[in-house]
Amino acid sequence: MAVGIFYGTDSGNSETISKKISEKLGGAKVFDVAKACKADFDGFSSVVLVAPTAGAGDLQSDWEDFLNTLSEADFSNKTIALVGLGDQDTYSETFAEGIFHLYEKAKAGKVVGFTSTDGYTFEASKSVQGGKFVGLVLDEDNQDDLTDGRIQAWVQEIQGQLV
């Protein structure tokens, strides 16, 4: 199974999370979108996209730049799993909305790994579609003690869906 993991980061949390997911997936290749190119992305039929939320619901700047190089067609033949980071206390009204921006393009492909909102306390998030988050959501500011367990359960769920 060849899986590419692509992340953008300002604080380093998304990089750390990407490496943990790679380990659980048996060594998936990890790319920083600030240094990646479209050809890197095109080289995988399954991708995990890891994005922090910047400010009040915005996509992290490296992701904005990288996403602009991709079209919806670039996602159409891919299986995509999304991971979003957010702060449910400080940004309760826009919690983890960074991955919503990725989801808008990624939904042209096969998106897997929707997760329950149970265990989170927030007011609103565009990343909730059909009552679930569009991917794995992690809060390293307030619930970092739950991160490893959430990653483990999520990877077990999606592993068979990635090709």
Side-chain angles (χ1 to χ4, degrees), residues 56-127:
D58 296 323
L59 187 58
Q60 189 264 349
S61 60
D62 294 333
W63 259 117
E64 282 182 6
D65 294 341
F66 189 69
L67 197 58
N68 285 333
T69 68
L70 303 174
S71 70
E72 288 179 7
D74 295 319
F75 291 92
S76 63
N77 293 318
K78 291 194 185 306
T79 301
I80 305 107
L82 302 170
V83 179
L85 283 77
D87 178 340
Q88 61 193 312
D89 286 352
T90 305
Y91 298 102
S92 182
E93 294 178 0
T94 58
F95 178 53
E97 286 186 359
I99 59 169
F100 172 76
H101 303 286
L102 297 179
Y103 176 71
E104 283 296 288
K105 276 196 178 177
K107 67 185 179 183
K110 178 184 176 188
V111 179
V112 299
F114 285 63
T115 59
S116 173
T117 60
D118 292 347
Y120 299 88
T121 305
F122 61 98
E123 290 182 42
S125 178
K126 290 179 184 174
S127 295

